[in-house]
Amino acid sequence: MSAVFQRCVNCRAAYFPFRLICSTCFKSSFIEDEVDSGLVESVTLLSSGQQTATIVCLEDLHFIARIQGGTVEAGDRISLTNTASQETALAGYVPFQRTEA
């Protein structure tokens, strides 16, 4: 399992959601990269009972993910995925859909 993010080809800055221009070097060339896991920074419990969490990965890359397959607390390490699933494996779901060029 992993989640896709965008990395600037010029300065290697990491972004999610995707950007058109790098805010660090102002270039516009990016590649897709992946990260497998992150550290839960904060958790929100929605009125539906669903958890969402801010997850910190790599340098300063943050994802807001829907928690699936269980519950988490701040400080937990969690796997990330771009695939919504009803499986029992605990993971942070980060919605992402590639668009055809």
Side-chain angles (χ1 to χ4, degrees):
M1 287 189 284
S2 60
V4 175
F5 66 96
Q6 186 182 46
R7 186 175 293 283
C8 177
V9 172
N10 186 60
C11 71
R12 308 289 298 157
Y15 295 102
F16 189 88
F18 283 20
R19 307 291 198 270
L20 295 174
I21 304 285
C22 176
S23 63
T24 302
C25 69
F26 306 106
K27 302 289 184 181
S28 60
S29 294
F30 296 94
I31 59 170
E32 287 184 7
D33 205 345
E34 296 181 350
V35 63
D36 295 326
S37 65
L39 191 65
V40 175
E41 184 176 68
S42 63
V43 179
T44 301
L45 182 61
L46 304 177
S47 61
S48 65
Q50 178 69 54
Q51 273 190 328
T52 60
T54 302
I55 301 171
V56 182
C57 311
L58 305 172
E59 307 87 31
D60 193 26
L61 180 65
H62 290 74
F63 289 100
I64 296 176
R66 183 178 76 211
I67 305 304
Q68 56 188 25
T71 59
V72 296
E73 295 179 357
D76 289 350
R77 179 152 296 278
I78 187 169
S79 296
L80 295 170
T81 182
N82 290 128
T83 305
S85 174
Q86 299 301 324
E87 294 180 19
T88 58
L90 181 64
Y93 167 58
V94 181
F96 175 77
Q97 183 175 356
R98 284 184 174 84
T99 56
E100 298 298 322

